[in-house]
Amino acid sequence: MKLFILKYSIAVISCLYLAYFFYNSERAGSMIKTGTALVLALSIFMTMCCQIRSGR
């Protein structure tokens, strides 16, 4: 169970880091990339919560 939580936590943190990186970059379309990374992080977090609830 700890490995499962650690794996999903690393995935969420990496998505949030990508969102921060894209938000600070001056390239065109960075807001779209930031939004995509945030949605991905949210979906991974929701999947983790659902898996924890179903496991109990």
Side-chain angles (χ1 to χ4, degrees), residues 19 21-36:
F21 172 74
F22 287 134
Y23 182 73
N24 281 340
S25 68
E26 295 297 325
R27 295 178 220 142
S30 64
M31 292 303 287
I32 296 172
K33 292 176 184 175
T34 302
T36 304

Side-chain angles (χ1 to χ4, degrees), residues 1 4-10 12 41-55:
M1 188 69 177
F4 166 77
I5 293 175
L6 181 68
K7 180 177 71 171
Y8 274 101
S9 298
I10 290 173
V12 170
L42 184 64
S43 65
I44 291 171
F45 181 72
M46 293 301 291
T47 304
M48 181 177 69
C49 289
C50 291
Q51 295 256 346
I52 290 173
R53 283 185 190 157
S54 67

